[in-house]
Amino acid sequence: MFVHSRSQRWSRIISFMALAIVLCGSPVLVSARTAQDSSGGILRIHQLLYPETADPQKSSFSHEISFLVTNYEGLTRLDTNGQTSPAAAERWTFNDDGTVLTFHLREGLTYSDGSPLTADRFVYAVQRACDPNTAGDYQYILFDIVGCQEFASLYAEGDDATPAARDDAAAFGAARDAVGITAPDDRTVEITLVQPAPYFPSVAGLWVFFPAQQDLIEAGGDDWWTDPAKQLGNGPFQVTRMEQDQLIALEANEHYWGGRPKLDGIELVYVSDSAVALEAYTAGDLDIMQPDPAQYPAIQSDPVLNEEFLKFAGTNTLVLSFNLHEAPFDDQKVREAFAYAFDRETWCEEVNNGDCVPTLSWIPEGVSGFVETDAFAFDPDAAKQALADSTYGGPDALPPIEYHFIADIPEERPRGEWIAGQYRDILGVEITLVPVEQAAWVRSISDPENYPPMTQVGWFQDYPDPQNWLSLLWACEAFFATPAGYCNPEFDALTQQADQDLDPDTRIPLYEEAHRLLLADAFAVVISNQANVFLVKPEVTGYTTTPSDGEWPGEWASPLTLDVTR
Amino acid sequence: MIGFIVRRVVWLVPVLLAVAAITFALMHRAPGGPWDRQKPIPAATRANLDAKFGLDKPAWINPAAFAAAREQGRINPVALGRAYLDSQFFAYLGNLVRLDLGPSYQARGTQTVRSIIGDKFPVSAKLGIVALVFAVLVGVPLGVLGALRQRSWADQLTLAVSTAGVAVPSFVTAILLLIFLSRQFHVSPLRRPEAWDGFGRAYLLPGVVLSLGVLAVIVRLTRSSLLEVKRQDHVRTARAKGLGEGRVVTRHMLRNGLIPVFTVLGPAGAELVTGSIIIETIFNVPGLGREFVDSIAARDYSMIMGTTLFYAVLVALANVVVDVGYMVLDPRIRVG
């Protein structure tokens, strides 16, 4: 999913100032609370950014989805081990060739108001997600379903097809009905796939499948999602109040199939300035907060806050990506030299205040497809040797190299300077730092013509399957590979075979082999997994963290057991 | 006077046209667009979004549509002109005339720019009014005090405070104040959403911090202007007539001395009511200032256009008010 980096633009600048103040200020006071031990109250969770849109078929950012997964539920969901497990559907089956996927819904499923939740609600969700008029950011994730891509492209100029007129209701209806999802009865959802897609049960747990109701959406117009009464959900909690940029309040859903959650409710409190949030947290006005990396040293030097500091690896990977179309990074040996010369430990511990965990594997540990590797671990001598072995023979013949970074994020410049300094000291290479405004940078990394010579990119997992890490990103025609210029036919053949293989025992090894190929090609310098970092009051209990919990601990797998005692 | 006001308001039209054209040109020159994500959106979805928001049309003029219309044998100049101007810019202007500012791209079209401005501007405006009133009520008396007791300790103190007001950035003052109040007096740094309805106490703290910059300007301007007036003949005459000090100050000094202050109040007022991203971020005020700055980073074209034009109208109107105010304050001034 997408993660906003603009999120903390202003708050970071401000936090630097606040940090200085906190460091020379008085010791943090924890306000006295009247001791009255009762559990199951309201959990107050800090959020940095309010959703731009909280429409299940349109949302794409992690701070929008954290609200949606609390209010709704798809056919499947992630369990505490980060694996796909039953949710609205109690079980699912593939047909023999793996192209028809049948979900069997639980008996007596209802929305939070007790009204029945039937299979046709999921059919509507998928049809709406594929609808060309919806045009959500995650439309493409359903293109494995027969007819979805055709429906989404109904009005687009194609190579072989003429676009339908926008007022042609018959063509629209036909395209919608051709989408391969049906409800043979109230408790069965049948999905026809373009090709075998063993990962698809994981996709069926994503927000695009959330069964927001057709009549409520249509009654509410484009901004239906801003009205809590129209956000009638089937998740563990039901939203009751939405105040833009301020607060979203949810209460326990008494009708949830898994039983009522322990908490009476959750309040998502939107505070975009981290210094203010930290002050509110220490004053006892927030139970969970997301600190800013600039605040970590101050937090860790405070005995109380340090105890409440929670850090765990996320399912994401950060790499230093190269433009493989152009010299010098079209030379494998040059890429290897840059990969060997990157000191990941120092990067995470010192440059990033411990905000990340070093890694050499593109797929993070804990996700299938992960490979144990020591390829291109930090080794200055091997780095120099690799550069000497390149067609350039050493640093002097290299063309000028630029490193592009997002100018809007204040910490990016010192990080870039550290990287340039490392390469100068170890390889003797001079790197020019180029600050780029955020929107321009985002455009450049999807553009093969203007891909930066060297820049940092990251990927945050959508669903726990190697397909989401390999085929979707690094096949020749994929999101990351095309603009960066990576293309390995052998990799494509392996991932294509694995994508359609229904047997996990043969499928996963195929991905692992493809993954090893990718790493051996030195497609980029694999650097780190960004950590999920929170401050959590000791009164908060009952959560098991999963690497996907980017907005609060227990976000994906522990909504029923999360608890707060006051 | 009525004629003057009408003329000034009519002048708004070309001013807004120019602002619209410049903003439109600049934002389309900036690289990147509203649908750019780290993970690119597929071509089909992108085409749907472009069509939905009219971004599939050319930016300024549409010769292709013109040619197509001619081939169809159209000769009606209105129809041909329409085809020629069937572009993003002129479509925007067409909607603008109907006060339709379009959908916000950031909200993926789920909210209109007009509804966002309608929701958020009142909050920013209330905050700005609090700040402006505070700046005038505190700034003018302090400036008068400084001028009347020139070089006294009160004057020095006023000068020091106003220098600090200009020199210390508002985010430092804001965060210091917030932390101080929270730790010493257990004032929560957070507000419930309902605190921003009406004219609640929640506006007090951010309003005061927001006013500091303008307050400092008012103090210094009042002081220097009064110092000049103080030495003028008509003041000496008033004193010689035996008028009381209070009357000399209010009737003879302030009325002249406040004209420069009044001049800055127009633009300053417009600036205050349009919201400050820093104050709104720190005090978590649901105002328009944040929306404006965020929209630029997100290339939310319609939001950028909408807020820029809205601000342009406000600044222009504030200037009209100032000019009218001149005539009331000083009958010798004739404008128009």
Side-chain angles (χ1 to χ4, degrees):
Chain A
M1 66 191 75
F2 303 127
V3 177
H4 251 295
S5 39
R6 109 183 136 81
S7 61
Q8 295 158 10
R9 230 149 47 90
W10 276 101
S11 56
R12 283 204 178 155
I13 299 170
I14 294 160
S15 299
F16 277 125
M17 302 303 303
L19 179 68
I21 294 160
V22 169
L23 285 175
C24 52
S26 55
V28 177
L29 297 171
V30 177
S31 63
R33 236 173 273 117
T34 42
Q36 121 193 73
D37 274 8
S38 67
S39 74
I42 307 281
L43 183 66
R44 298 158 306 176
I45 303 173
H46 167 223
Q47 293 277 277
L48 284 164
L49 282 173
Y50 195 84
E52 306 287 0
T53 175
D55 178 326
Q57 280 82 39
K58 290 183 182 175
S59 291
S60 60
F61 290 102
S62 74
H63 64 276
E64 297 170 344
I65 288 150
S66 64
F67 156 68
L68 291 172
V69 295
T70 313
N71 195 58
Y72 294 97
E73 184 173 62
L75 292 166
T76 63
R77 68 180 303 136
L78 291 183
D79 66 11
T80 49
N81 299 318
Q83 299 305 311
T84 300
S85 64
E90 57 184 359
R91 63 194 171 85
W92 53 89
T93 49
F94 275 102
N95 69 343
D96 289 340
D97 68 356
T99 55
V100 179
L101 174 57
T102 311
F103 287 95
H104 303 277
L105 304 193
R106 289 174 196 277
E107 196 178 347
L109 268 188
T110 64
Y111 283 97
S112 67
D113 64 347
S115 62
L117 167 55
T118 48
D120 52 339
R121 300 287 189 190
F122 290 99
V123 174
Y124 171 72
V126 167
Q127 286 177 343
R128 181 166 183 262
C130 296
D131 189 327
N133 299 310
T134 305
D137 293 355
Y138 268 79
Q139 197 167 48
Y140 79 90
I141 213 148
L142 300 176
F143 285 0
D144 281 328
I145 301 178
V146 164
C148 180
Q149 184 162 12
E150 289 75 7
F151 186 28
S153 322
L154 186 64
Y155 305 128
E157 310 268 348
D159 300 331
D160 43 350
T162 44
R166 284 191 180 269
D167 51 3
D168 186 345
F172 179 85
R176 185 191 57 211
D177 296 341
V179 175
I181 181 164
T182 54
D185 61 61
D186 280 353
R187 286 182 54 204
T188 312
V189 177
E190 205 175 272
I191 295 175
T192 314
L193 300 164
V194 178
Q195 57 181 22
Y199 49 84
F200 210 82
S202 304
V203 177
L206 299 183
W207 44 99
V208 279
F209 269 86
F210 291 171
Q213 294 191 4
Q214 179 170 14
D215 40 345
L216 294 178
I217 292 176
E218 283 168 4
D222 281 336
D223 64 348
W224 68 274
W225 65 268
T226 56
D227 178 4
K230 301 208 162 49
Q231 292 266 20
L232 183 59
N234 64 328
F237 291 87
Q238 169 62 47
V239 63
T240 53
R241 195 171 170 199
M242 299 182 84
E243 303 280 352
Q244 203 173 1
D245 288 341
Q246 302 277 303
L247 175 81
I248 291 182
L250 304 104
E251 62 178 23
N253 173 4
E254 308 278 347
H255 294 97
Y256 184 63
W257 62 264
R260 180 194 189 276
K262 274 193 183 164
L263 288 170
D264 290 332
I266 289 178
E267 280 188 1
L268 305 177
V269 183
Y270 293 86
V271 184
S272 49
D273 185 77
S274 301
V276 176
L278 182 58
E279 197 52 40
Y281 175 82
T282 48
D285 293 329
L286 292 168
D287 300 312
I288 297 175
M289 89 156 269
Q290 301 179 28
D292 186 274
Q295 294 173 320
Y296 297 172
I299 289 170
Q300 283 162 339
S301 64
D302 181 282
V304 177
L305 292 180
N306 193 35
E307 283 296 304
E308 298 168 3
F309 191 68
L310 176 68
K311 176 174 132 183
F312 52 95
T315 31
N316 61 76
T317 303
L318 195 72
V319 300
L320 196 61
S321 174
F322 304 118
N323 183 338
L324 286 79
H325 299 286
E326 285 172 15
F329 295 116
D330 53 350
D331 184 330
Q332 158 108 12
K333 282 290 169 194
V334 176
R335 300 201 297 271
E336 287 181 10
F338 275 72
Y340 276 126
F342 201 100
D343 182 356
R344 297 157 182 87
E345 302 283 340
T346 310
W347 165 260
C348 281
E349 284 318 307
E350 288 170 25
V351 186
N352 286 286
N353 289 338
D355 193 30
C356 55
V357 183
T359 184
L360 294 167
S361 167
W362 164 246
I363 300 183
E365 199 166 354
V367 179
S368 51
F370 165 79
V371 290
E372 199 75 57
T373 174
D374 55 4
F376 310 124
F378 181 52
D379 183 345
D381 294 328
K384 281 176 221 149
Q385 188 56 46
L387 196 59
D389 293 344
S390 73
T391 49
Y392 301 96
D396 300 331
L398 281 178
I401 297 172
E402 286 179 358
Y403 172 77
H404 289 211
F405 65 95
I406 301 178
D408 311 37
I409 304 174
E411 293 98 317
E412 285 294 309
R413 179 174 281 280
R415 285 177 189 152
E417 278 166 0
W418 182 84
I419 291 174
Q422 284 280 299
Y423 285 139
R424 185 176 54 237
D425 295 347
I426 294 170
L427 295 175
V429 178
E430 281 301 326
I431 290 172
T432 314
L433 298 182
V434 181
V436 185
E437 191 256 2
Q438 176 146 347
W441 178 84
V442 172
R443 166 63 61 90
S444 74
I445 62 157
S446 57
D447 181 359
E449 302 293 317
N450 293 306
Y451 200 80
M454 197 161 88
T455 192
Q456 271 184 59
V457 298
W459 175 248
F460 287 72
Q461 167 182 288
D462 292 320
Y463 46 89
D465 194 283
Q467 185 261 358
N468 190 244
W469 285 91
L470 298 175
S471 335
L472 201 65
L473 304 176
W474 295 107
C476 294
E477 298 292 317
F479 288 143
F480 278 1
T482 313
Y486 179 80
C487 185
N488 183 342
E490 220 178 318
F491 174 90
D492 280 22
L494 282 169
T495 48
Q496 237 162 41
Q497 194 187 341
D499 287 351
Q500 305 186 18
D501 189 340
L502 287 180
D503 181 1
D505 292 338
T506 52
R507 179 171 179 261
I508 302 302
L510 284 172
Y511 281 126
E512 287 172 357
E513 201 186 331
H515 186 192
R516 284 209 180 81
L517 271 182
L518 182 73
L519 296 174
D521 283 338
F523 73 112
V525 183
V526 179
I527 304 176
S528 60
N529 308 122
Q530 293 302 110
N532 294 320
V533 178
F534 303 100
L535 281 171
V536 185
K537 292 276 182 198
E539 293 87 335
V540 180
T541 55
Y543 58 86
T544 308
T545 61
T546 77
S548 305
D549 294 349
E551 298 291 327
W552 63 83
E555 175 190 352
W556 284 84
S558 316
L560 293 182
T561 52
L562 254 176
D563 199 1
V564 60
T565 313
R566 307 183 215 282
Chain B
M1 177 109 98
I2 304 287
F4 164 75
I5 294 173
V6 169
R7 229 172 318 144
R8 287 292 297 261
V9 171
V10 170
W11 258 105
L12 260 179
V13 175
V15 168
L16 287 183
L17 259 179
V19 170
I22 292 171
T23 312
F24 187 85
L26 283 177
M27 83 191 178
H28 280 268
R29 286 291 298 167
W35 321 130
D36 285 331
R37 302 275 188 274
Q38 270 209 40
K39 177 168 63 182
I41 296 173
T45 308
R46 189 180 277 271
N48 284 332
L49 287 167
D50 279 348
K52 190 168 167 180
F53 292 94
L55 290 178
D56 50 348
K57 291 178 186 169
W60 298 98
I61 48 168
N62 197 345
F66 179 71
R70 280 191 55 173
E71 263 176 39
Q72 284 171 12
R74 298 246 182 102
I75 42 164
N76 180 349
V78 175
L80 284 177
R82 242 188 215 180
Y84 192 67
L85 295 181
D86 184 19
S87 67
Q88 291 179 41
F89 182 68
F90 287 99
Y92 186 86
L93 288 188
N95 291 333
L96 187 64
V97 172
R98 293 191 290 273
L99 290 184
D100 174 4
L101 299 176
S104 158
Y105 297 5
Q106 249 175 309
R108 278 75 128 201
T110 59
Q111 283 182 303
T112 64
V113 173
R114 202 167 83 176
S115 75
I116 294 174
I117 293 180
D119 283 350
K120 303 257 165 126
F121 175 67
V123 176
S124 288
K126 279 189 273 185
L127 190 59
I129 291 168
V130 170
L132 196 63
V133 168
F134 184 81
V136 171
L137 286 189
V138 176
V140 172
L142 279 183
V144 173
L145 191 70
L148 295 183
R149 305 259 183 281
Q150 200 189 356
R151 299 205 182 82
S152 69
W153 64 268
D155 183 31
Q156 304 290 348
L157 187 71
T158 315
L159 217 61
V161 168
S162 63
T163 309
V166 175
V168 182
S170 57
F171 59 84
V172 174
T173 333
I175 219 82
L176 275 175
L177 208 57
L178 212 63
I179 292 179
F180 174 75
L181 289 177
S182 164
R183 297 204 178 159
Q184 301 303 319
F185 299 101
H186 300 287
V187 178
S188 169
L190 305 182
R191 301 274 169 277
R192 297 299 290 182
E194 49 273 17
W196 304 108
D197 303 341
F199 248 121
R201 284 210 332 245
Y203 287 98
L204 197 60
L205 197 55
V208 168
V209 178
L210 180 61
S211 77
L212 292 181
V214 174
L215 176 85
V217 172
I218 290 181
V219 169
R220 311 199 68 158
L221 214 57
T222 311
R223 180 177 173 274
S224 59
S225 163
L226 277 190
L227 279 178
E228 198 189 315
V229 174
K230 202 167 120 180
R231 298 189 188 91
Q232 280 178 7
D233 292 344
H234 74 273
V235 175
R236 201 172 300 136
T237 313
R239 287 231 167 81
K241 287 199 294 198
L243 285 181
E245 183 66 15
R247 210 170 153 74
V248 172
V249 173
T250 50
R251 287 284 300 169
H252 296 272
M253 286 168 65
L254 274 183
R255 193 155 173 192
N256 279 307
L258 283 187
I259 289 178
V261 177
F262 194 73
T263 314
V264 298
L265 278 189
E271 188 191 316
L272 290 179
V273 298
T274 49
S276 142
I277 176 165
I278 290 172
I279 300 292
E280 288 181 6
T281 305
I282 293 182
F283 291 99
N284 234 32
V285 185
L288 196 57
R290 267 201 273 180
E291 293 289 331
F292 182 41
V293 177
D294 281 352
S295 69
I296 298 172
R299 299 286 188 272
D300 188 344
Y301 293 148
S302 53
M303 192 71 198
I304 299 174
M305 290 290 279
T307 40
T308 309
L309 288 174
F310 184 69
Y311 287 0
V313 171
L314 279 180
V315 172
L317 288 182
N319 282 328
V320 175
V321 170
V322 167
D323 289 346
V324 173
Y326 276 159
M327 293 192 265
V328 175
L329 270 185
D330 186 347
R332 288 171 307 181
I333 297 178
R334 283 277 163 267
V335 279

